[in-house]
Amino acid sequence: MQSIQEKADQIVKELNQFDDWLDKYQYIIDKGKELPTAGLEIKIDENLISGCQSKVWLTSEYRDGRVYFKGESDALITRGLVSMVIQVYSGCTPDEILSFEPKFIEQAGLSQHLSPTRNNGLLSMIKQIKLYALAWKIRNNPSTLKK
Amino acid sequence: MKLDVDALRNDFPILQQRVYGKPLIYLDNAATTQKPREVIQAITNFYEQLNSNVHRGNHYLSAKATDTMEQARNDIASFIHAPNPEEIIFTHGTTESINLVAYGFAKSLLQPGDEIIISALEHHSNLVPWQQVCLQKGAHLKVIPLDDTGQIRFDAFQNLISDRTRLIALAHVSNVLGTILPIEEVIKIAHQNGIPVLIDGAQAVQHLPVDVSQLDCDFYAFSGHKIYGPMGIGILYAKSSWLQKLPPFQFGGEMIDIVSFEKTIFSDIPFKFEAGTPNVEGVIGLAAALKYLNRIGLDNIFDYETELFHYALNVLSQINGVHIVGNAQKRCSVISFLIDHIHPYDSGTLLDQFGIAVRSGNHCAQPLMNVLDVPGTVRASLSFYNTREEIDALASAIEKVKNFFL
């Protein structure tokens, strides 16, 4: 199984293969199509990450020491970004998620092409992923709180 | 006189640049306008030749900086036809101008059960301050609904007026739909009922000739940066009778007359509302912008922009699958639209890549988006430096966006 770093590196490699920005966005949108159709059930306010431009819903599950994410968005490009972020973080342990710095966003040229507010949308997605990881970690090991 | 737009564009250094290797097409003027060289030069000149603190020192530079700033106050007053320069208060922007009035009302004029009227198309900056003041004082916020075209419903407005109405706060021009509100009629009816009116002119002063004396509004707020001036400077025009009545908004230096440890006697208007060192470069930059606009001619700007606006409406509404949001009879400068089956975020992102700066999202008017039942819009907002060729380029980029997502 790929490590979180390997998964991030793969995204960076795939996104940097394009010279034409249209191809790059096409790739991002296609990524969105790979997103398991989480469907309507996760599109509830409780799962909504507030962002100015488009809506993102995110949920998580915990199985055998690993966190799995599901996500949705009402915009296609954002859905692709959600898909890539989930591809990187899903299936990792809470500790892996919490300690991983999301440098791949910059390396994949996404901060260059997405304006700061949109980039913040990506960053708030990752912040939410880390919050889920932290919540699962504490739930399964309450002693971490006592430190 | 017709505008020589090609020549005028040369006055704006930023418009000469390319983005992503394509010529910049700047259609986000409702967010902020670009600055002509004269404004940039005025700010540079201030720091190179005049910089010193105003209203204090009795040395040469301070006196000169003070004179320049107070002359700017006169110029700004004449631009909107305010009867007295002392009725012009320098703030950070429209938001602070509105907050200044909201604070004053909350502090000394609002009682529980009182009412404030706004409209459903307000920018958050003319909504949240009133909502918060109402929550704080146990007052009620009343909202004028819109008709199908995106205009306020005048009958509903008249029905909202009661003997508890303390203030009406309305946009002059909607930042989302471009609707020009019938503020003359609103002010007339309001005054017949003894109610003051605040106008949020952030999207109006740069496009329409504004005469606050003729309008007879009690307050008029706008931002420097949306009228080709610098960021961080805003104006509140208020009738002096109101300025005398309202308490100071902030306390400190510059706004005082006599201070002891026990008490303070505040300065007269406008200074009692201008605590601390003012944004002198901003004031001077704004005056330079207004001077520049006066030289081009406000009527010329209005005529050119009106023609360009109708050209843009015509071109965009002819594109298959494009829907313009709002079609009020009186509109200017702002066009919000949606492309069938494409989220505004997606269209905005791609248009950016074509070198076209438009805004997508809720435009700081979330309640309006709920009323319109849209996830947001794409907004193109015009200036006199935009051209028909740029509108055509927008149209052809929209076609490409459509093809991309099909």
Side-chain angles (χ1 to χ4, degrees):
Chain A
M1 200 162 117
Q2 278 182 307
S3 74
I4 192 165
Q5 185 65 58
E6 283 164 352
K7 289 191 283 182
D9 288 346
Q10 193 183 331
I11 297 262
V12 172
K13 197 176 143 202
E14 284 172 14
L15 273 173
N16 284 334
Q17 67 183 313
F18 303 109
D19 296 328
D20 184 355
W21 63 268
L22 271 174
D23 294 338
K24 190 166 181 168
Y25 277 108
Q26 191 57 58
Y27 171 84
I28 294 173
I29 290 164
D30 290 344
K31 273 286 175 196
K33 292 175 187 157
E34 290 173 12
L35 195 65
T37 40
L40 288 172
E41 80 271 14
I42 78 156
K43 286 171 140 184
I44 52 171
D45 286 353
E46 200 184 319
N47 299 329
L48 189 65
I49 301 174
S50 57
C52 177
Q53 302 243 352
S54 56
K55 287 182 173 167
V56 174
W57 296 265
L58 201 66
T59 61
S60 70
E61 279 173 14
Y62 188 75
R63 290 195 305 270
D64 307 326
R66 292 174 186 276
V67 191
Y68 297 86
F69 296 97
K70 277 184 185 173
E72 260 292 359
S73 173
D74 57 349
L76 291 178
I77 293 171
T78 314
R79 198 165 200 274
L81 298 174
V82 172
S83 175
M84 289 190 290
V85 168
I86 287 180
Q87 186 183 324
V88 171
Y89 286 96
S90 210
C92 298
T93 66
D95 282 333
E96 282 172 328
I97 293 170
L98 287 168
S99 61
F100 185 69
E101 287 300 317
K103 289 188 182 136
F104 68 98
I105 291 176
E106 209 179 322
Q107 291 162 352
L110 291 176
S111 55
Q112 177 196 340
H113 286 288
L114 303 172
S115 79
T117 46
R118 294 169 191 168
N119 204 344
N120 286 340
L122 256 183
L123 292 177
S124 53
M125 230 183 273
I126 286 164
K127 193 175 161 196
Q128 190 61 35
I129 278 179
K130 292 200 170 193
L131 280 173
Y132 275 126
L134 185 64
W136 286 119
K137 181 178 171 168
I138 291 167
R139 192 164 177 183
N140 291 288
N141 190 5
S143 62
T144 47
L145 272 183
K146 290 175 193 154
K147 276 179 196 168
Chain B
M1 186 192 96
K2 283 219 134 195
L3 290 194
D4 184 354
V5 175
D6 286 342
L8 291 176
R9 288 179 69 87
N10 284 327
D11 296 337
F12 293 81
I14 208 168
L15 296 178
Q16 317 309 320
Q17 73 176 299
R18 297 172 80 82
V19 293
Y20 309 123
K22 303 174 183 75
L24 167 67
I25 296 180
Y26 187 78
L27 296 171
D28 195 18
N29 294 288
T32 197
T33 49
Q34 300 304 345
K35 319 307 171 197
R37 200 172 276 107
E38 281 177 43
V39 168
I40 300 164
Q41 199 56 52
I43 296 167
T44 308
N45 287 350
F46 169 71
Y47 284 117
E48 286 184 355
Q49 293 160 25
L50 277 184
N51 179 50
S52 57
N53 212 329
V54 289
H55 296 144
R56 286 192 193 137
N58 53 1
H59 58 78
Y60 176 84
L61 275 186
S62 175
K64 213 169 166 194
T66 305
D67 284 350
T68 311
M69 188 175 87
E70 292 307 320
Q71 182 54 47
R73 200 189 298 272
N74 293 340
D75 297 343
I76 294 161
S78 349
F79 189 83
I80 57 166
H81 304 274
N84 305 302
E86 68 190 26
E87 295 174 310
I88 298 294
I89 310 291
F90 299 137
T91 65
H92 292 139
T94 307
T95 301
E96 198 188 34
S97 297
I98 295 171
N99 273 278
L100 186 157
V101 181
Y103 172 86
F105 267 74
K107 190 90 181 158
S108 56
L109 297 167
L110 272 188
Q111 301 299 327
D114 283 348
E115 294 167 359
I116 289 173
I117 296 177
I118 61 166
S119 85
L121 54 65
E122 298 308 315
H123 187 283
H124 293 162
S125 63
N126 196 32
L127 186 167
V128 183
W130 305 115
Q131 174 195 65
Q132 292 302 310
V133 156
C134 285
L135 288 171
Q136 209 180 322
K137 301 299 291 187
H140 306 292
L141 191 66
K142 302 279 176 180
V143 183
I144 311 170
L146 305 181
D147 65 18
D148 294 343
T149 70
Q151 182 57 274
I152 58 163
R153 280 182 44 202
F154 206 78
D155 54 333
F157 156 66
Q158 284 174 293
N159 290 334
L160 284 179
I161 292 181
S162 80
D163 57 0
R164 297 308 300 266
T165 310
R166 292 292 167 263
L167 182 83
I168 297 162
L170 285 184
H172 193 168
V173 172
S174 159
N175 73 307
V176 178
L177 306 173
T179 311
I180 303 173
L181 278 71
I183 57 168
E184 296 85 351
E185 291 87 338
V186 167
I187 293 165
K188 211 170 130 195
I189 302 266
H191 285 177
Q192 281 165 9
N193 289 276
I195 304 163
V197 181
L198 176 142
I199 301 297
D200 166 0
Q203 299 296 343
V205 272
Q206 64 280 50
H207 302 298
L208 309 171
V210 171
D211 183 331
V212 292
S213 296
Q214 205 182 347
L215 281 172
D216 198 29
C217 55
D218 301 86
F219 306 95
Y220 197 98
F222 66 97
S223 296
H225 74 97
K226 291 190 201 286
I227 186 163
Y228 310 97
M231 290 190 172
I233 179 69
I235 297 298
L236 173 67
Y237 156 79
K239 285 182 180 169
S240 58
S241 54
W242 278 108
L243 291 177
Q244 303 290 0
K245 219 178 289 180
L246 292 176
F249 177 46
Q250 286 171 341
F251 303 93
E254 295 260 345
M255 53 82 69
I256 47 86
D257 191 7
I258 300 167
V259 178
S260 68
F261 283 117
E262 291 73 32
K263 64 170 191 176
T264 294
I265 297 170
F266 302 125
S267 300
D268 209 349
I269 63 169
F271 306 114
K272 85 168 185 189
F273 293 102
E274 294 176 356
T277 296
N279 178 0
V280 185
E281 62 156 276
V283 173
I284 289 172
L286 174 56
L290 302 185
K291 192 174 164 195
Y292 175 80
L293 295 178
N294 275 329
R295 208 175 57 239
I296 301 173
L298 298 179
D299 290 340
N300 295 327
I301 290 174
F302 178 77
D303 290 346
Y304 177 82
E305 287 186 352
T306 305
E307 204 247 271
L308 187 67
F309 178 70
H310 286 106
Y311 179 79
L313 272 184
N314 190 34
V315 167
L316 294 181
S317 55
Q318 277 176 22
I319 304 173
N320 218 347
V322 168
H323 300 282
I324 291 172
V325 183
N327 59 343
Q329 210 184 353
K330 285 188 166 178
R331 274 183 290 173
C332 71
S333 68
V334 171
I335 301 175
S336 261
F337 61 93
L338 289 164
I339 310 173
D340 273 347
H341 315 301
I342 305 176
H343 193 284
Y345 175 84
D346 290 330
S347 7
T349 304
L350 285 212
L351 288 173
D352 169 52
Q353 293 286 334
F354 287 112
I356 298 176
V358 289
R359 178 63 68 98
S360 66
N362 61 46
H363 317 296
C364 297
Q366 289 175 22
L368 176 59
M369 295 300 133
N370 293 335
V371 169
L372 299 170
D373 194 24
V374 294
T377 70
V378 183
R379 180 185 72 183
S381 49
L382 310 177
S383 157
F384 61 82
Y385 47 58
N386 292 125
T387 63
R388 285 186 172 213
E389 290 71 30
E390 288 181 315
I391 303 299
D392 294 342
L394 170 65
S396 100
I398 290 172
E399 291 289 359
K400 287 179 194 153
V401 170
K402 273 169 55 187
N403 290 334
F404 182 79
F405 284 106
L406 276 182

